[in-house]
Structure formats: C-alpha cells, structure tokens
Amino acid sequence: MTSTEIFATAAHLHVLLRRKTGRVTDTEWMATNADYARAIVRFAREKAVSEGLDELLPWAEKLETASTGMGAPVRKPLLQSATEALRAAQTPAPPASRPSGFADSVPASGFRESSLPSGFGGGKRTDADGPDTRYVGGIR
C-alpha cells in the first residue's frame, strides 16, 4: 500500500470514528506511526463490537494491514536533536590571544576590533574621540 493509500484509509477511518463515536483522531499520525494506528484499530474494533458499528471493521482491517508495512523511524524530540547537534559541533576554543593595541585593562572577549573604516568618523576609536564620533547619540 502506498503512503497516499494509507493516508486515505486513515482519513476515512477518522471520519467514521468522528461521526459514529465522537472520537477525534490524528490522521497524519495514524498514517505514519504504526503504534498509534494499531491503537486506533483496536479502538475501532471495540466500538464495532460494543455498539454494533459494523462499517468500522473493513476500514480498521485495511489500516491494520497498512500499519504492518509502516517503517517510519522514531523521531527524537527537537530539543534532544538540537542538544546533540550542539554538543557534536563544540570544539575546544583556542587560547585567547590579545591583538596588539589593546589596553591591559580591557578583558579579552574573543572578538577583534574592526579594522574597517567606520561611517562615524574613520578608523579605530581612540580615547580622545568623543562619544558622538562612532555611535549614534553616544549609545553603545
């Protein structure tokens, strides 16, 4: 059964369950997760027997047949995937070296001062420059 046929079967069973039992299901999850599909099949069969809803049985069997072929990989939660990716990408930082021209009182931040000319007064800022030469309104 193709993924389109599985989805169509799940959608049809979803509509029947909603109309006949009031049960709301997740059609996409039913079409991609075998465990969820089996749980819905079990529910549909129970309702078919207990409430005499025989029209649920053929669709439950179709979904059960399709769910045996589902091999959807189990997805990790986004937070776990992101954490693993960040840990894998982390490399030990090289020892911070200070570029020449920095005062000894300025702690090393790992960032270098730009050597490109600024639009607010030219090259690097010196202590003699006023606050208005580089920043708008003197705000840093």
Side-chain angles (χ1 to χ4, degrees):
M1 205 178 242
T2 67
S3 62
T4 306
E5 293 170 332
I6 294 170
F7 191 81
T9 302
H12 198 94
L13 187 57
H14 165 82
V15 170
L16 283 174
L17 287 172
R18 177 71 177 105
R19 287 183 184 163
K20 303 294 182 177
T21 68
R23 173 74 184 246
V24 177
T25 60
D26 186 335
T27 305
E28 185 177 348
W29 192 240
M30 194 186 323
T32 57
N33 185 293
D35 292 332
Y36 183 69
R38 282 190 293 271
I40 296 300
V41 166
R42 186 172 42 252
F43 176 80
R45 284 189 174 141
E46 288 172 5
K47 287 296 181 178
V49 171
S50 68
E51 296 180 18
L53 303 172
D54 294 331
E55 62 268 21
L56 292 175
L57 289 176
W59 292 100
E61 291 190 21
K62 280 185 179 183
L63 185 62
E64 183 178 43
T65 303
S67 70
T68 58
M70 287 183 204
V74 177
R75 295 182 185 178
K76 292 181 187 176
L78 179 60
L79 182 59
Q80 183 181 357
S81 297
T83 303
E84 289 173 1
L86 285 173
R87 285 185 181 149
Q90 286 180 343
T91 57
S97 63
R98 296 174 135 188
S100 62
F102 270 63
D104 288 337
S105 63
V106 178
S109 66
F111 295 99
R112 293 190 55 188
E113 184 71 22
S114 174
S115 60
L116 298 173
S118 169
F120 296 103
K124 290 185 177 183
R125 183 168 186 224
T126 64
D127 291 333
D129 293 335
D132 295 330
T133 60
R134 184 164 178 186
Y135 299 100
V136 177
I139 298 173
R140 289 187 171 198

